[in-house]
Amino acid sequence: MSRNLELFERAKAHIPGGVNSPVRAFGSVGGTPRFVSRANGAHFWDADGKQYIDYIGSWGPAIVGHAHPEVIEAVQQAAVGGLSFGAPTEAEIDMAEAICRLVPSVEQVRLVSSGTEATMSAIRLARGFTGRDKIIKFEGCYHGHSDSLLVKAGSGLLTFGNPSSAGVPADFTHHTLVLEYNNVEQLARTFAELGDAIACVILEPIAGNMNLIKPSAEFVKELRRLTDQYGTVLIYDEVMTGFRVALGGAQSLHGITPDLTTLGKVVGGGMPLAAFGGRADIMGKISPLGGVYQAGTLSGNPVAVAAGLKTLEIIQRPGFYEHLSAQTAKLAQGLADAAKAAGVTMCADSVGGMFGIYFSETIPTGYADVTKSDLERFKRFFHAMLDEGVYLAPSGYEAGFVSAAHDDAIIEQTLAAARRALGKVAG
Ligand SMILES: *Cc1c(COP(=O)(O)O)cnc(C)c1O
């Protein structure tokens, strides 16, 4: 029996489903999750000692490659000085200054420990600032697992959402409207009807939790125009895209200044660290300055801040994003070419260090499109790649992530594996 399977069976006895986050259980692709024993650069090794090229990178944080020696050293140095104080540190100021410099829409920022906390706090803040209750989110966008965001669309266009998870009272999702990503007309109609009651719009400015989906230029522009017109807070949830699609995040690519931004994943360099920030007049409403409560025992944790600061230092080096984007584009183009040669209906797209592969004729523009792609074929491709030693996200609804450690040889090795895997899933 494989050691991965042995561990999975053992895990299931005392951990629900054997995992601490559901996607890790391989539920949508089947088979045995790989238990990671260690990782370095673009690779990790599983419990059987098999090596994989990793295209998840901890779902984004590992942008400089796993176990980067400079990040490890920074973490080790910080750890020696104590793990957590529950009192302010100088490094937290360095981190806040770095974030505000790199993401200019952020004038003030607060550090938290997870993306879920960041978005939950940003929404509470938007509600406290505007004195309004209703919020808009988009179908297929994921913003963590706080109650008011675990929502699926209601039955009618302007009906409020229903819980997408058991345990969330319908009352809690009553104030959340779920609209279609990239549907400008629906957005405009909703604002015309309810704009004055809407506290905030939260979106993934480039979606990565329904595979990679880009917004249209018009959608992005209308979002800013309508939220400005109605005094609604525009929240760019850049937990995934921040420091991933570009140094300044998706907002720098869109040329949009959101009111609030949430960050996570890359900002912590692999440690539990996230952040929310934005306009100083809005951030001034948070306690202890204002009446919107928010706190955290481990917020601004010194070891996490050390990992994040070193990661931010590395990604600012000359050519970092040019290289990352070029490698990712090479991968996406190579995969699309390989599919074409194999006669498999599949396309690919990328932005910065993020990519999507879609078993469909065209690149999807929203959640409904993604559900219509050939997820059965994706499943077979996923397992064929896994056999080849290439670890893709175990779900057709997730984007992929490339790191600076994915050099030409690794990309070429991946494409060679893909050509064989696509041959297997053709027909
Ligand atoms: C991952 C993610 C979150 C949640 O972050 P956690 O750290 O997992 O709580 C929120 N928003 C987006 C866009 C994400 O990708």
Side-chain angles (χ1 to χ4, degrees), residues 220-238:
V220 160
K221 223 175 68 197
E222 278 300 286
L223 268 168
R224 181 66 284 184
R225 192 184 68 76
L226 286 164
T227 48
D228 270 339
Q229 182 183 335
Y230 286 91
T232 296
V233 175
L234 177 61
I235 305 174
Y236 263 40
D237 179 2
E238 300 229 38

Side-chain angles (χ1 to χ4, degrees), residues 95-398:
M95 179 54 102
E97 287 171 352
I99 291 171
C100 292
R101 186 167 48 76
L102 295 172
V103 187
S105 71
V106 178
E107 297 171 338
Q108 292 213 319
V109 61
R110 183 156 279 176
L111 303 182
V112 293
S113 301
S114 71
T116 294
E117 260 184 277
T119 56
M120 179 185 76
S121 304
I123 284 170
R124 183 182 305 141
L125 178 58
R127 284 173 161 158
F129 177 76
T130 57
R132 303 171 181 173
D133 289 340
K134 300 193 188 314
I135 65 174
I136 289 176
K137 83 172 280 286
F138 296 95
E139 193 178 25
C141 285
Y142 177 69
H143 305 290
H145 61 92
S146 67
D147 284 337
S148 66
L149 292 167
L150 289 179
V151 187
K152 57 182 186 236
S155 47
L157 186 57
L158 289 181
T159 55
F160 285 85
N162 298 315
S164 62
S165 162
V168 176
D171 284 352
F172 287 25
T173 58
H174 230 79
H175 297 297
T176 308
L177 258 171
V178 184
L179 304 185
E180 285 171 22
Y181 203 75
N182 274 327
N183 187 336
V184 174
E185 187 263 335
Q186 186 191 41
L187 182 72
R189 216 168 348 134
T190 304
F191 266 96
E193 189 127 339
L194 294 164
D196 294 330
I198 296 169
C200 65
V201 176
I202 185 166
L203 81 155
E204 288 186 70
I206 294 171
N209 286 290
M210 50 173 161
N211 210 323
L212 170 65
I213 306 280
K214 292 175 178 171
S216 70
E218 192 196 3
F219 182 63
V220 160
K221 223 175 68 197
E222 278 300 286
L223 268 168
R224 181 66 284 184
R225 192 184 68 76
L226 286 164
T227 48
D228 270 339
Q229 182 183 335
Y230 286 91
T232 296
V233 175
L234 177 61
I235 305 174
Y236 263 40
D237 179 2
E238 300 229 38
V239 169
M240 184 179 282
T241 53
F243 311 115
R244 166 55 64 182
V245 298
L247 185 57
Q251 55 195 271
S252 71
L253 299 177
H254 294 172
I256 292 286
T257 305
D259 302 306
L260 293 177
T261 297
T262 53
L263 297 166
K265 299 192 168 106
V266 172
V267 80
M271 295 290 286
L273 180 77
F276 67 100
R279 274 165 50 187
D281 60 330
I282 302 180
M283 292 302 287
K285 301 293 181 199
I286 299 174
S287 56
L289 295 177
V292 178
Y293 191 70
Q294 187 277 330
T297 301
L298 295 176
S299 291
N301 176 268
V303 184
V305 166
L309 271 175
K310 184 54 74 177
T311 300
L312 293 190
E313 181 191 319
I314 295 168
I315 64 178
Q316 288 179 71
R317 290 179 186 158
F320 184 90
Y321 283 93
E322 287 80 351
H323 171 71
L324 182 69
S325 302
Q327 295 305 94
T328 311
K330 211 181 297 175
L331 174 72
Q333 187 60 54
L335 288 170
D337 291 346
K340 198 165 177 205
V344 173
T345 303
M346 189 199 98
C347 45
D349 199 6
S350 74
V351 54
M354 205 168 147
F355 67 93
I357 48 179
Y358 324 88
F359 286 87
S360 54
E361 296 281 354
T362 54
I363 295 170
T365 60
Y367 186 74
D369 282 357
V370 181
T371 62
K372 283 182 227 138
S373 65
D374 190 346
L375 295 167
E376 266 317 301
R377 200 185 298 266
F378 166 77
K379 216 155 121 175
R380 288 161 60 210
F381 179 66
F382 168 83
H383 277 292
M385 289 295 269
L386 200 60
D387 289 345
E388 292 275 355
V390 178
Y391 192 76
L392 299 169
S395 158
Y397 289 97
E398 305 287 352

